[in-house]
Amino acid sequence: MTDFFELALAQRACREFGPEPVTDAQIARVLAAAVHAPSAENRQPWEFVVVRDPVARAAIGELMAKAWSTVGRRFSEGRLAPGLFADVERGAMGGIAKAPVHVVVGADTARSLAVTAPASIFPAVQNLLLAAGAIGLGAALTTIAVGHADELRSIVGFPDAVLPIAVVPLGHPARRLGAPRRDDFSLHTHRDHYGRNW
């Protein structure tokens, strides 16, 4: 078993994928981890559509590219460091679309309140991301396609009660990702009151 802390400290978004396939067994492992996340009132509102179909994956990739071109690029320019901006742009404009699997994650509002759904969905996605890393796969939490929720819903067949929340590309990383750059926790941690540094 991979050490949890090593795994958590090494996790980073993968936006470029190699051609190697992802097996059903691998997908089952990461989804089993996902559904063991906490959920509001234990409603477990998550719904996962595992998309392997090349036409559907291309359509999701087109939504990402459209969202990046119309809003994302303008929003991110000047906010992201140049290297990160380039990485995000490559992913949005085709790198993510090349992942052999897209897991489209939705929240069933018939099983949970729409307002509390993210409190259930994002822990499940985090478990999925960690599990993917544990078995050597790359993954990323992406939400840019959700800007075109009706189109995304149509591609995967979500009924009206299921809100698209995220798309998680899943596959073998095209290159070694290396460790993420993060501030030390102490820079953002306070003792008892904001402003009293850790």
Side-chain angles (χ1 to χ4, degrees):
M1 176 190 274
T2 303
D3 177 79
F4 171 79
F5 290 97
E6 287 180 19
L7 185 63
L9 296 177
Q11 182 188 28
R12 67 180 294 177
C14 179
R15 298 181 185 94
E16 295 181 71
F17 298 88
E20 302 91 344
V22 177
T23 68
D24 281 353
Q26 290 172 311
I27 294 169
R29 285 191 82 187
V30 300
L31 291 178
V35 301
H36 280 81
S39 68
E41 300 177 327
N42 197 28
R43 295 291 181 157
Q44 304 172 52
W46 38 69
E47 294 292 336
F48 305 97
V49 177
V50 177
V51 181
R52 290 184 198 262
D53 177 70
V55 174
R57 284 187 296 112
I60 293 168
E62 287 171 15
L63 284 184
M64 290 186 176
K66 181 166 68 170
W68 177 257
S69 297
T70 58
V71 177
R73 179 183 289 124
R74 188 172 55 249
F75 177 77
S76 297
E77 282 177 326
R79 293 174 53 87
L80 301 180
L84 179 57
F85 180 88
D87 188 45
V88 170
E89 181 160 66
R90 278 192 305 274
M93 296 304 290
I96 290 171
K98 292 178 182 169
V101 175
H102 289 168
V103 180
V104 181
V105 187
D108 188 343
T109 60
R111 296 200 312 270
S112 74
L113 298 172
V115 71
T116 63
S120 300
I121 299 304
F122 290 122
V125 171
Q126 177 66 3
N127 274 13
L128 191 160
L129 297 172
L130 288 168
I135 61 173
L137 297 177
L141 165 60
T142 73
T143 58
I144 194 164
V146 175
H148 299 282
D150 289 339
E151 292 172 74
L152 183 57
R153 177 183 278 119
S154 177
I155 292 168
V156 298
F158 278 158
D160 289 344
V162 178
L163 303 175
I165 302 291
V167 176
V168 179
L170 195 60
H172 295 271
R175 59 182 170 81
R176 188 177 179 283
L177 296 174
R181 291 179 296 279
R182 296 290 186 267
D183 293 341
D184 187 83
F185 78 92
S186 64
L187 296 176
H188 306 285
T189 306
H190 313 268
R191 289 186 188 274
D192 298 319
H193 191 272
Y194 185 86
R196 293 181 189 154
N197 294 340
W198 180 263

